[in-house]
């Protein structure tokens, strides 16, 4: 029904209030309607805080008994960081529950819905499911595959360059595009670059939002030989988010001690041909409860990430500029493919505008977060 979709859109909008604060929990919003009017709204604002349904009950401007609850994710039925929401819904006397999608978490999937139905509550599932799955694409990957969701972001010119032949890349994209990147940094658990980016640009990799205080993601540097200078900004930024150096056994013992003394965490992940094993790195990050990684690497790391099949989503900002030059760097290097039939394809493409720049977003073919169960 159209009216159900309208209330669910509001629940989805409310859920965004937890962006960057609930990781690795999902984004959830809730709306309670009675006699055709919204009497309560809530969202899951932060990890360990009240779930959206409970927050809505607390914010209610009237009796919720007999009302209809709209929520974008199946109410939980187990004790985790907070008590189960399904029980709270039953206790509150809600007459009907409209849910966008089942919870993909094996601890929950279907159990919350069954609990509601067994209690005699009319329960509808699947309203705006695709929109709900897109909103929680990070959570879906994290709980179903036990790996973080990886977004490969790059900015390039019209002729496909990320820097001039001399290595200059400031700035390819415009200010509006760069602001959007910091919004994304505020939402993810970690940001990852390669050692060449550190050596060339010496970035701090922090989040800078002009309108509010942002969360810094954990900074991950992929550096197989431990070449990172100890005076790098990323190590000495003063951010509480921390730094992880993903390296190999090739790192020198003295350098490892110096970095460790400066608070850098060392992950030794020996891979083929002396490179860091990126697949194992993703497994380690999952164990650290990091649900998402923004990859802002150069062409070498981007190629390695794609070859390792760790990338879920690609974001390409295209600036209306032309650099030229056969030696100018491109977003994806490596050996490349020989035949077009082997090219990596993206699906579910969306296009948006940031002043003069164009952002193209798509999902690596085979990623299933937008598909229903």
């Amino acid at each position: 029904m159209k009216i159900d979709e309208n209330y669910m859109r509001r629940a989805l909008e409310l859920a965004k209030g937890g962006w960057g604060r609930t990781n690795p929990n999902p984004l959830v919003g809730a709306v309670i309607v009675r006699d055709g009017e919204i009497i309560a709204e809530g969202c899951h604002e932060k990890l360990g805080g009240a779930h959206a349904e409970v927050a809505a009950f607390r914010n209610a401007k009237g009796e919720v008994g007999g009302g209809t609850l709209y929520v974008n994710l199946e109410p939980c039925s187990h004790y985790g960081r907070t008590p189960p929401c399904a029980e709270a819904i039953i206790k509150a006397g809600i007459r009907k529950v409209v849910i966008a999608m089942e919870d993909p978490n094996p601890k929950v999937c279907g159990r919350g819905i069954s609990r509601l139905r067994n209690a005699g509550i009319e329960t509808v599932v699947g309203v705006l499911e695709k929109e709900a799955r897109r909103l929680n694409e990070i959570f879906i990957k994290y709980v179903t595959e036990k790996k973080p969701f990886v977004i490969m972001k790059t900015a390039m010119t019209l002729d496909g360059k990320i820097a001039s032949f001399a290595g200059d890349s400031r700035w390819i994209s415009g200010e509006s595009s760069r602001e959007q990147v910091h919004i994304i940094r505020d939402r993810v658990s970690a940001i990852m670059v390669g050692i060449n980016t550190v050596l060339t640009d010496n970035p701090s990799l922090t989040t800078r939002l002009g309108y509010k205080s942002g969360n810094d993601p954990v900074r991950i540097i992929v550096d197989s030989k431990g070449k990172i200078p100890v005076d790098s900004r990323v190590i000495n930024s003063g951010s509480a988010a921390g730094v992880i150096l993903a390296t190999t056994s090739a790192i020198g013992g003295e350098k490892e001690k110096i970095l460790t003394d400066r608070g850098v965490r060392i992950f030794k992940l020996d891979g083929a041909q002396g490179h860091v094993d990126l697949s194992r790195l993703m497994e380690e990050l999952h164990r650290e409860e990091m649900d998402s990684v923004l990859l802002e690497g150069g062409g070498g790391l981007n190629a390695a990430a794609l070859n390792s099949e760790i990338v879920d989503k690609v974001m390409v900002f295209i600036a209306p500029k032309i650099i030229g030059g056969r030696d100018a760097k491109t977003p994806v290097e490596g050996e490349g493919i020989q035949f077009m039939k082997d090219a990596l394809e993206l699906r579910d493409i969306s296009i948006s505008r940031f002043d003069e720049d164009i952002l193209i977003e798509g999902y690596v073919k085979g990623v299933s977060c937008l598909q229903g169960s």
Side-chain angles (χ1 to χ4, degrees):
M1 293 175 58
K2 191 70 175 177
I3 192 163
D4 283 347
E5 291 186 0
N6 290 339
Y7 288 131
M8 188 61 74
R9 289 188 200 283
R10 178 56 184 162
L12 288 164
E13 190 62 30
L14 288 167
K16 296 176 184 177
W19 255 332
R21 308 301 184 268
T22 66
N23 314 56
N25 277 1
L27 298 167
V28 187
V31 174
I32 301 175
V33 177
R34 187 176 180 189
D35 299 327
E37 293 186 4
I38 294 177
I39 62 168
E41 295 182 337
C43 79
H44 182 37
E45 294 184 353
K46 62 181 181 179
L47 186 67
H51 284 192
E53 301 92 328
V54 174
F57 293 148
R58 292 175 180 174
N59 296 333
K61 298 177 181 178
E63 176 59 45
V64 300
T68 299
L69 169 68
Y70 293 84
V71 62
N72 61 290
L73 190 68
E74 174 183 2
C76 62
S77 59
H78 68 291
Y79 283 87
R81 289 183 170 93
T82 61
C85 293
E87 296 301 323
I89 293 168
I90 295 167
K91 185 177 180 180
I94 292 293
R95 176 184 62 83
K96 179 180 178 181
V97 178
V98 181
I99 301 166
M101 62 173 284
E102 286 188 352
D103 192 328
N105 187 341
K107 294 180 179 179
V108 178
C109 190
R111 293 183 177 89
I113 293 169
S114 295
R115 183 71 186 91
L116 296 175
R117 287 175 174 164
N118 290 339
I121 297 175
E122 181 184 354
T123 305
V124 178
V125 183
V127 177
L128 299 186
E129 180 178 0
K130 185 174 182 179
E131 291 86 340
R133 297 186 73 84
R134 188 181 294 275
L135 177 68
N136 270 311
E137 59 192 13
I138 288 174
F139 176 71
I140 294 171
K141 169 76 179 292
Y142 179 76
V143 297
T144 59
E145 299 186 32
K146 299 190 183 305
K147 295 176 184 177
F149 187 90
V150 179
I151 305 166
M152 190 184 91
K153 170 253 135 187
T154 191
M156 69 179 189
T157 60
L158 279 176
D159 55 338
K161 309 296 185 181
I162 62 172
S164 71
F165 74 90
D168 183 28
S169 62
R170 293 179 179 266
W171 294 100
I172 285 179
S173 58
E175 183 176 347
S176 181
S177 296
R178 299 197 299 274
E179 287 177 357
Q180 180 63 21
V181 172
H182 282 276
I183 290 173
I184 299 168
R185 287 186 183 185
D186 180 56
R187 297 175 181 173
V188 298
S189 296
I191 180 172
M192 184 166 75
V193 301
I195 181 58
N196 288 336
T197 296
V198 174
L199 295 176
T200 302
D201 299 335
N202 195 20
S204 61
L205 301 178
T206 53
T207 298
R208 297 179 294 281
L209 298 174
Y211 58 93
K212 70 172 185 177
S213 176
N215 279 346
D216 289 339
V218 174
R219 279 75 50 77
I220 302 172
I221 314 300
V222 180
D223 178 10
S224 59
K225 293 182 174 59
K227 295 190 295 184
I228 187 169
V230 295
D231 60 352
S232 299
R233 287 180 185 168
V234 69
I235 295 176
N236 300 283
S237 66
S239 172
V243 177
I244 292 173
L245 188 74
T247 187
T248 70
S249 54
I251 188 173
E254 183 177 350
K255 184 67 168 290
E256 180 179 355
K257 184 179 186 308
I258 292 173
L259 292 172
T260 301
D261 289 344
R262 288 176 176 257
V264 177
R265 301 177 63 194
I266 308 294
F267 287 9
K268 293 183 184 178
L269 303 162
D270 290 352
Q273 299 177 324
H275 297 298
V276 173
D277 188 326
L278 296 179
S279 295
R280 285 181 56 203
L281 174 59
M282 295 303 108
E283 293 171 1
E284 290 295 328
L285 296 181
H286 180 272
R287 278 191 277 272
E288 297 283 329
E289 293 194 331
M290 295 185 202
D291 64 358
S292 47
V293 177
L294 178 62
L295 172 58
E296 292 196 40
L301 182 57
N302 287 345
L306 290 169
N307 288 336
S308 298
E309 299 183 344
I310 66 169
V311 178
D312 299 286
K313 186 176 185 177
V314 176
M315 301 179 65
V316 181
F317 290 90
I318 302 175
K321 301 173 183 177
I322 296 175
I323 291 178
R326 66 175 60 89
D327 295 325
K329 293 187 175 296
T330 59
V332 182
E333 297 176 355
E335 293 184 7
I337 62 162
Q338 184 174 1
F339 302 106
M340 282 304 301
K341 66 180 180 63
D342 299 321
L344 184 147
E345 295 182 44
L346 302 182
R347 61 177 180 80
D348 293 303
I349 301 298
S350 62
I351 300 173
S352 49
R353 185 87 176 259
F354 291 88
D355 291 338
E356 297 303 314
D357 298 341
I358 294 173
L359 169 62
I360 298 178
E361 298 178 80
Y363 297 84
V364 176
K365 203 167 185 180
V367 175
S368 59
C369 67
L370 299 185
Q371 301 170 5
S373 55

